[in-house]
Amino acid sequence: MPPPSNRPDQPPASPGVGATVDQWLAYLEAIHPTEIDLGLDRVLVVLRRLFRRKPGARIITVAGTNGKGSAVAAVEALLRAAGRHTGAYTSPHLQRYNERVRLNGEDISDDALVKAFEAVEAARGNVSLTYFEFGTLAAFVAFADAGLDDWILEVGLGGRLDAVNVLDADLAILTSVDIDHVAFLGNNREVIGFEKAGVLRPGIPAVYADADPPRSVLQQAAAQKVQMAMFGRDYELLPEIRAVSGFPKVVLNYQNQPIRLPAGPLPVKSVAAAVVAVRQLEPDLSVAVIEQVLSGLCVPGRFERLGSSPDIFLDVGHNPHAAGWLAEQLGSLKSPGRRVHAVYGALADKDVEGVGKAMAGVVDAWYLASLKVPRGLSGNELQARLADVGIGDAPAFESVGEALKSSLSTAAPNDLVVVFGSFYTVAEGREILLADNSARS
């Protein structure tokens, strides 16, 4: 989950020898006056103190409005199958910060993470870093210490001014461009596309994973002579006959070679873009291996199934674009008499109304959860905002846990329950469900 936005007037003293990860994270939350402070100057100063030259690893940078985590997971899994040693950096986390930094597919250990934090602290001197900037540099240190071949880096916000962008990519993936974080990125796709395309570098290969790229992305790619493989032009996805059980398959056609991919639980366009990228990086990786690796790929919190009778899914879709994709997945699982119960919690700066419109056609019953975190909306505030777009009769609850409990007591065994919205919403619901599943086993 993202850190809270409240900061004390005076930052605390740096953690001493033997400090825990939690003590370091509390320190990171307090040393910069704002949670988000886009810009590369501060990070570059500390980066140059940590690394005299660009790390020798291959850098794959993933930017986009939605689907970044899925693309990172797919690239990571495929490169590992090709025999590469990988580091993956993603954000935010659900249960533990260590989820953000993966070394060869495993979450970083507390000892290695603390060691990386200590290195960044020693290097930064009096340079003030945000929580995300500090953590990004720590991930770089951990990857370098582990001697990894490939660093797969997910942009936190935007692209051009995001801390991840201090390293020049050797290949970039843009998953999608849509409206989100308007206070920082702008309120239209052209402006947002310009920011996200800031991860491109002259002459590097890139992949654009969605239809209808903004002109700003195409202009930057052309100006920098980026060889960008584009969905719908350089590769395509073709439907295949629906599977008897599980998700249907689609066929990725790239360079006249068909590759069968599952249509879920991850966004298939993000997975396809990852395949196209890896085909460029590791052309000898066989189609059979690609299909096998991706057949069981999943990411926590991305249409993750954590229960049955009724089926329970969790998804971190928190903007209209992501909610539209989620609605399609739920719609594909609906059948006559099968109802969808939605537990929803959101932050105040999100387009709640747009999310409601995207989900209204598939949701039969709403359960609105209060989020008691900075910028979190109460259930009553969610009620009022959704009522403005015609969603009524949606009860409000004091917590995700209460909303989830009510949904499960109401849902029939054949129904679907989805917990979605903010990472905070999914994290709280996921913790409850995992604990319940553990107690039953």
Side-chain angles (χ1 to χ4, degrees):
M1 294 183 296
S5 58
N6 296 335
R7 301 291 191 274
D9 293 335
Q10 295 295 327
S14 177
V17 176
T20 66
V21 169
D22 286 342
Q23 288 171 325
W24 271 102
L25 294 177
Y27 176 66
L28 266 57
E29 291 169 7
I31 59 175
H32 196 76
T34 57
E35 177 186 350
I36 299 173
D37 189 3
L38 294 177
L40 303 183
D41 292 345
R42 298 182 309 278
V43 188
L44 276 168
V45 168
V46 184
L47 179 74
R48 288 166 181 157
R49 294 173 183 173
L50 289 165
F51 300 94
R52 294 184 178 180
R53 60 186 63 86
K54 180 185 175 183
R58 195 165 55 182
I59 308 296
I60 299 102
T61 302
V62 182
T65 304
N66 297 304
K68 298 188 296 293
S70 299
V72 169
V75 170
E76 177 189 27
L78 291 170
L79 289 177
R80 291 186 65 222
R84 306 282 292 185
H85 297 289
T86 63
Y89 177 57
T90 61
S91 64
H93 59 278
L94 287 173
Q95 260 72 57
R96 298 175 67 238
Y97 185 94
N98 306 54
E99 299 165 20
R100 297 184 180 216
V101 185
R102 293 196 298 274
L103 310 177
N104 290 315
E106 300 292 333
D107 293 349
I108 191 171
S109 68
D110 283 2
D111 288 346
L113 184 56
V114 166
K115 181 182 177 183
F117 284 155
E118 290 173 343
V120 176
E121 178 67 5
R124 79 177 183 90
N126 62 357
V127 178
S128 181
L129 296 172
T130 67
Y131 178 100
F132 182 77
E133 291 167 347
F134 200 115
T136 299
L137 290 169
F140 296 169
V141 170
F143 292 163
D145 286 349
L148 302 175
D149 302 319
D150 296 315
W151 298 7
I152 311 156
L153 309 177
E154 178 188 344
V155 167
L157 195 159
R160 182 174 64 93
L161 299 177
D162 186 85
V164 162
N165 202 35
V166 292
L167 291 181
D168 292 336
D170 296 299
L171 183 145
I173 298 175
L174 299 180
T175 57
S176 61
V177 175
D178 215 279
I179 310 299
D180 200 6
H181 300 291
V182 295
F184 299 98
L185 303 180
N187 61 1
N188 67 78
R189 291 181 71 243
E190 291 299 330
V191 173
I192 294 172
F194 174 80
E195 293 297 328
K196 294 190 182 298
V199 302
L200 301 176
R201 294 294 189 273
I204 70 157
V207 183
Y208 189 85
D210 206 2
D212 188 28
R215 290 190 304 275
S216 56
V217 172
L218 300 178
Q219 288 167 353
Q220 287 200 64
Q224 299 185 63
K225 296 181 171 55
V226 171
Q227 301 172 9
M228 188 160 68
M230 292 175 52
F231 173 73
R233 185 192 70 184
D234 302 295
Y235 67 96
E236 60 183 346
L237 290 169
L238 305 173
E240 194 176 64
I241 296 174
R242 185 178 179 88
V244 175
S245 62
F247 287 94
K249 297 283 187 179
V250 297
V251 177
L252 166 64
N253 185 20
Y254 175 56
Q255 296 177 336
N256 295 318
Q257 191 167 38
I259 302 174
R260 299 172 74 243
L261 306 177
L266 301 182
V268 69
K269 289 181 182 177
S270 290
V271 175
V275 174
V276 171
V278 171
R279 294 296 278 172
Q280 297 184 42
L281 296 169
E282 299 293 329
D284 293 334
L285 187 63
S286 72
V287 169
V289 170
I290 291 172
E291 292 180 346
Q292 180 182 10
V293 167
L294 298 179
S295 63
L297 187 66
C298 59
V299 176
R302 274 77 172 185
F303 207 59
E304 181 183 16
R305 187 171 179 268
L306 275 186
S308 59
S309 298
D311 287 337
I312 307 171
F313 294 90
L314 301 102
D315 194 85
V316 292
H318 56 265
N319 55 49
H321 183 262
W325 177 85
L326 176 59
E328 289 180 7
Q329 308 314 302
L330 293 169
S332 70
L333 299 177
K334 283 193 77 171
S335 58
R338 195 177 200 195
R339 291 163 54 82
V340 171
H341 304 255
V343 175
Y344 177 47
L347 300 180
D349 58 347
K350 297 304 177 182
D351 184 0
V352 169
E353 295 82 359
V355 168
K357 289 178 181 177
M359 292 286 287
V362 73
V363 173
D364 299 292
W366 293 83
Y367 306 78
L368 307 180
S370 299
L371 295 184
K372 296 175 182 177
V373 297
R375 298 183 290 125
L377 287 172
S378 70
N380 289 331
E381 289 170 325
L382 272 178
Q383 249 182 356
R385 290 181 60 172
L386 289 176
D388 289 341
V389 292
I391 296 175
D393 193 26
F397 298 86
E398 286 299 307
S399 68
V400 174
E402 290 183 17
L404 178 57
K405 182 179 179 180
S406 179
S407 71
L408 292 175
S409 67
T410 305
N414 190 48
D415 285 348
L416 299 168
V417 173
V418 59
V419 182
F420 84 104
S422 166
F423 270 79
Y424 289 108
T425 309
V426 172
E428 186 175 342
R430 190 170 189 270
E431 186 172 9
I432 293 168
L433 291 167
L434 289 174
D436 287 347
N437 291 344
S438 177
R440 291 171 187 166
S441 61

